[in-house]
Amino acid sequence: MTIVTPVGMSRKREGRGKFITLEGGEGVGKTTNLPFIQDYLQHHNIPVVVTREPGGTRFAEKIRHLLLDAESEPLSEQAELLLMFAARAQHIRHIIEPALAHGNWVLCDRFTDATYAYQGGGRDMSFSTIEWLENLVQGPLKPDLTLLLDMPVETGMTRAKERGGEFDRFESEKISFFERVRQAYLMQAERYPERIKLIKANQPLIDVQAAIANAVQPLLM
Ligand code: T5A
């Protein structure tokens, strides 16, 4: 679970902050690596706001609860997609844009690449519909850097199982769903090689974090 930590929000910095997103399938290590990236940035005197999707504001967290609830009535693909973007619209308006405008960096656990992967790949929804909603909700806002943690689906699921806890509505999907999610993520990485950096996630944590630091470092220039 990620929590919203508006570290350094009160310090106005020159210029606009940078927007970093962390992506990948289930159990690849996003939550594990967020504090590492946060510490890395703070070590370089960069105030960072850590947040997540779906969620990040009180209202968007309520939408998250609806989306992840494994006991809910079956959700149509359209309702799921629209709720993702409804939560995102609130998150951008109240957290992401103000933080970036204030000169803070924003580190977000999942963003719109997850929608291409889960709703586009997993649910087989049209990429052009997602793109239309992306433009409507985000305007020109795009991450400056996306770290895509990638590894075989089975390994991620095993890690998620070993971590324990109840499975949510997405985690209860079949392996074939997550294979499509992974392929859609990899397609996004091919589509945006400048922005999306692929990080091999099935290696020791110390090596994952070295690769993450390598990918983040050029943004500090
Ligand atoms: N969603 C989200 C959509 O469908 N569309 C969207 O647009 C958006 C934004 C959100 C769900 O919403 C969906 C996708 C998701 O299903 P979530 O909580 O953000 O859910 O995402 P999850 O993938 O469920 O997050 P997890 O908490 O399951 O996975 P993480 O955070 O990637 O994995 P983490 O860090 O908890 O690690 C799992 C286990 O592996 C260990 C950890 O200690 C932990 O026990 N681990 C390692 N072990 C060995 N070596 C390493 N290198 C390791 N790294 C971590």
Side-chain angles (χ1 to χ4, degrees):
M1 278 285 187
T2 319
I3 40 162
V4 179
T5 321
V7 181
M9 272 292 266
S10 57
R11 241 175 75 201
K12 173 97 173 125
R13 281 171 56 100
E14 291 219 350
R16 191 174 159 82
K18 305 260 192 232
F19 183 26
I20 302 178
T21 58
L22 202 51
E23 296 279 3
E26 308 296 309
V28 292
K30 296 177 302 300
T31 309
T32 305
N33 286 295
L34 273 172
F36 168 78
I37 306 169
Q38 182 177 3
D39 288 351
Y40 181 84
L41 294 175
Q42 284 173 353
H43 181 74
H44 288 87
N45 292 321
I46 293 169
V48 56
V49 172
V50 181
T51 185
R52 70 173 178 189
E53 288 215 351
T57 74
R58 268 168 56 194
F59 191 84
E61 287 290 327
K62 287 183 183 170
I63 298 179
R64 176 187 178 92
H65 180 75
L66 293 172
L67 279 163
L68 299 193
D69 182 6
E71 308 294 319
S72 80
E73 69 187 42
L75 212 53
S76 76
E77 290 85 355
Q78 289 85 354
E80 184 178 283
L81 176 66
L82 292 169
L83 284 170
M84 288 294 174
F85 273 107
R88 186 161 298 139
Q90 288 299 106
H91 193 204
I92 291 171
R93 169 75 61 90
H94 295 293
I95 300 286
I96 298 176
E97 270 301 343
L100 293 173
H102 204 76
N104 292 280
W105 288 33
V106 174
L107 176 57
C108 189
D109 187 345
R110 298 191 184 279
F111 194 62
T112 307
D113 292 305
T115 313
Y116 283 100
Y118 282 78
Q119 282 64 52
R123 303 275 188 237
D124 201 21
M125 297 198 75
S126 135
F127 271 45
S128 58
T129 304
I130 298 173
E131 203 162 14
W132 188 86
L133 288 166
E134 180 183 22
N135 288 331
L136 174 76
V137 168
Q138 289 171 224
L141 176 71
K142 296 267 194 288
D144 295 288
L145 172 69
T146 297
L147 302 163
L148 173 56
L149 299 180
D150 177 67
M151 68 182 184
V153 169
E154 301 266 7
T155 320
M157 295 308 287
T158 306
R159 278 192 194 169
K161 267 187 205 134
E162 282 170 2
R163 187 190 49 201
E166 297 282 302
F167 269 18
D168 64 37
R169 203 171 58 80
F170 288 99
E171 288 166 334
S172 313
E173 288 289 342
K174 296 193 183 90
I175 288 287
S176 56
F177 174 87
F178 296 110
E179 293 289 359
R180 292 196 300 278
V181 167
R182 184 181 184 204
Q183 288 318 312
Y185 264 133
L186 293 173
M187 269 174 58
Q188 284 292 94
E190 266 182 35
R191 213 172 147 199
Y192 302 107
E194 291 302 312
R195 171 174 66 85
I196 303 182
K197 302 299 170 206
L198 206 62
I199 309 283
K200 203 173 146 221
N202 56 339
Q203 50 180 341
L205 192 55
I206 193 164
D207 297 324
V208 173
Q209 295 183 335
I212 288 175
N214 260 341
V216 173
Q217 206 262 340
L219 274 195
L220 304 175
M221 311 285 185

